[in-house]
Amino acid sequence: MLTSTLLAAATTPLSWSPTVGIIMILANLAAIAFGKSTIKYPNAEPALPLPNPLGGFGVPALLATTAFGHILGTGIILGLHNLGRI
């Protein structure tokens, strides 16, 4: 029963394209901007080697925002693919 449900929900595979890359980059930039305004201690230790170009984040904040950005980007990409836009 579960197998047939999963097979019915399967769509065509999504191959990588520059559009997919741009969407992921924009999602990560949006997540970093959101994190910069909402993280209580963005410069927690350990510090990054170049903190100024990376928004003054420490390693934990950078990992958290980019992980959120990838989750956000994956949702956007799969949603647009499901709608047939990409």
Side-chain angles (χ1 to χ4, degrees):
M1 172 86 172
L2 181 63
T3 305
S4 61
T5 305
L6 290 175
L7 288 174
T11 63
T12 58
L14 174 65
S15 59
W16 188 89
S17 68
T19 304
V20 171
I22 290 170
I23 291 171
M24 187 60 76
I25 289 169
L26 292 175
N28 275 288
L29 290 175
I32 289 171
F34 180 72
K36 184 143 180 78
S37 64
T38 59
I39 294 177
K40 189 172 185 178
Y41 301 111
N43 54 355
E45 294 292 328
L48 292 171
L50 298 170
N52 289 337
L54 298 172
F57 283 157
V59 173
L62 183 68
L63 288 175
T65 55
T66 54
F68 175 62
H70 277 77
I71 293 169
L72 185 65
T74 301
I76 293 169
I77 290 166
L78 291 176
L80 289 174
H81 177 69
N82 192 30
L83 291 174
R85 301 290 183 190
I86 59 171

